Amino acid sequence: ELRYERALPRATMGFAAMGKGGKDKGKGGGKDKGKGKVKGKGKDKGKGGKGKGGKGKGKGGKGKGGSKVVIEPHRFEGVFVSKGKDDSLVTKNMAPGESVYGEKRLVAESEDKEEKIEYRVWNPFRSKLGAGIVGGVGVMPIKPGSKVLYLGGASGTTVSHVSDMIGPEGVVYAVEFSHRSGRDLTNMAKRRTNVVPIVEDARQPQRYRMLIGMVDVIFSDVAQPDQARIVTHNASFFLKNDGYILISIKASCVDSTASPEAVFAAEVDKLRKDGCKPKEQLTLEPYHRDHALVVAIYRASKKKKKAEE
């Protein structure tokens, strides 16, 4: 017992220096048995991690030369897939030469080999919409030329990708209540002409009604218990009939005591009562725990309903 306790600080010091290995030690070293073994393992993993990072950078360097990066269009307009050692979701960068949140950028030659086009990697772990696309959502109303109202824009990580998707013809109105995040959002919007940052409370759409015209899609990622009401309230102001609503629902935030499935069902029911027609519901696992993406049509017209039936 004593010997084990004395050895512990030295081990932890080693891991503090290792960085990545530290995490692995936390996972692997659950049992007291074989502490020495785990320490060694952690070290190796830490080194491996560093090596990996180096490789990644090298690949980026090659990408700039235009080799080994094959970019294919995704089935949704405005989204692309980069094929390589590991496939990733990418969008065409509206502001070339700049990363918004430290994401990787890839450069590929256009078909006529004249100009180079820059793409940004879209990390589904950092974005609910990205997770929805990777997870295989059936429809994606956000496409080139769309007008989007984005509730809960935060620092603008997903908003920047929406801005890439809709291109210069579209416009995304990003509403964010927090001034701290709103500052990052505004800085990101300085380089992107199609982003309109609005630092205001999404519960009171009448406060920013003079800034927004009618939109085609509302995407909402406000982690609030009354999210369904907030979205439909905004929809009544700004969303055209037959427009789409995309909501990312965080179960623990609506009701942490009920099961996630029950929460999702209740939220979908609320949407139904407020004139939305839910089209699909998709879990965002394994990227976001206990989250679901719900797609609905707002005030669907009779013609549309018949066509779908």
Side-chain angles (χ1 to χ4, degrees):
E1 287 278 317
L2 267 173
R3 202 165 51 200
Y4 162 62
E5 276 173 19
R6 217 175 301 146
L8 200 62
R10 209 182 308 152
T12 46
M13 271 166 57
F15 282 109
M18 291 317 299
K20 266 193 188 171
K23 276 184 197 162
D24 290 322
K25 180 218 166 197
K27 285 176 199 160
K31 292 175 186 164
D32 296 345
K33 265 191 290 180
K35 209 49 171 173
K37 263 189 206 166
V38 174
K39 182 186 168 196
K41 217 179 186 176
K43 261 194 186 160
D44 289 346
K45 274 195 183 158
K47 279 179 193 155
K50 277 184 195 159
K52 244 189 199 161
K55 265 186 213 161
K57 277 176 201 154
K59 194 177 162 196
K62 277 182 199 157
K64 279 178 187 144
S67 64
K68 283 199 178 170
V69 178
V70 179
I71 306 251
E72 292 178 359
H74 191 272
R75 66 192 166 99
F76 299 137
E77 280 183 274
V79 188
F80 301 86
V81 178
S82 89
K83 299 276 186 187
K85 195 179 77 199
D86 38 1
D87 295 1
S88 53
L89 199 67
V90 297
T91 56
K92 201 169 178 175
N93 196 355
M94 266 274 294
E98 289 209 357
S99 287
V100 174
Y101 54 99
E103 73 280 13
K104 262 194 195 166
R105 301 194 308 274
L106 308 168
V107 182
E109 283 181 350
S110 61
E111 283 164 16
D112 50 11
K113 304 254 172 164
E114 303 246 323
E115 54 189 280
K116 290 191 163 62
I117 304 171
E118 188 172 279
Y119 296 89
R120 293 187 309 128
V121 174
W122 195 349
N123 181 356
F125 288 95
R126 297 278 303 261
S127 161
K128 312 284 189 312
L129 187 61
I133 293 174
V134 173
V137 67
V139 285
M140 180 44 60
I142 300 172
K143 49 182 187 281
S146 294
K147 290 182 169 54
V148 183
L149 171 57
Y150 192 115
L151 303 176
S155 307
T157 49
T158 305
V159 177
S160 68
H161 286 289
V162 171
S163 151
D164 288 346
M165 282 167 81
I166 59 181
E169 299 299 306
V171 59
V172 52
Y173 302 99
V175 179
E176 171 55 48
F177 188 43
S178 149
H179 284 263
R180 177 68 194 81
S181 304
R183 192 159 70 231
D184 297 340
L185 182 65
T186 311
N187 285 332
M188 182 270 294
K190 283 176 185 168
R191 295 297 315 274
R192 292 167 180 271
T193 48
N194 60 0
V195 180
V196 179
I198 299 167
V199 183
E200 196 52 86
D201 188 356
R203 282 196 174 87
Q204 290 159 322
Q206 61 275 18
R207 286 193 177 180
Y208 46 86
R209 66 177 192 275
M210 56 289 192
L211 300 174
I212 301 183
M214 293 302 272
V215 297
D216 308 311
V217 192
I218 293 183
F219 179 85
S220 168
D221 184 15
V222 289
Q224 295 296 328
D226 57 342
Q227 167 158 255
R229 192 194 62 79
I230 293 174
V231 174
T232 47
H233 191 34
N234 275 275
S236 67
F237 274 82
F238 310 116
L239 187 59
K240 65 175 194 186
N241 289 3
D242 295 323
Y244 276 88
I245 289 178
L246 293 149
I247 305 190
S248 152
I249 302 171
K250 181 180 178 182
S252 61
C253 156
V254 178
D255 183 353
S256 52
T257 58
S259 73
E261 291 75 23
V263 172
F264 300 147
E267 290 297 293
V268 168
D269 213 44
K270 281 182 203 164
L271 288 175
R272 262 202 200 93
K273 287 194 176 89
D274 287 324
C276 301
K277 186 167 186 257
K279 296 303 294 171
E280 64 174 314
Q281 178 185 325
L282 176 83
T283 171
L284 296 184
E285 306 266 358
Y287 306 107
H288 303 274
R289 197 161 145 224
D290 292 345
H291 281 70
L293 185 71
V294 173
V295 182
I297 294 179
Y298 185 65
R299 289 183 183 160
S301 59
K302 298 275 193 304
K303 281 180 201 164
K304 265 215 163 175
K305 278 184 185 167
K306 277 181 187 165
E308 276 155 11
E309 281 161 13

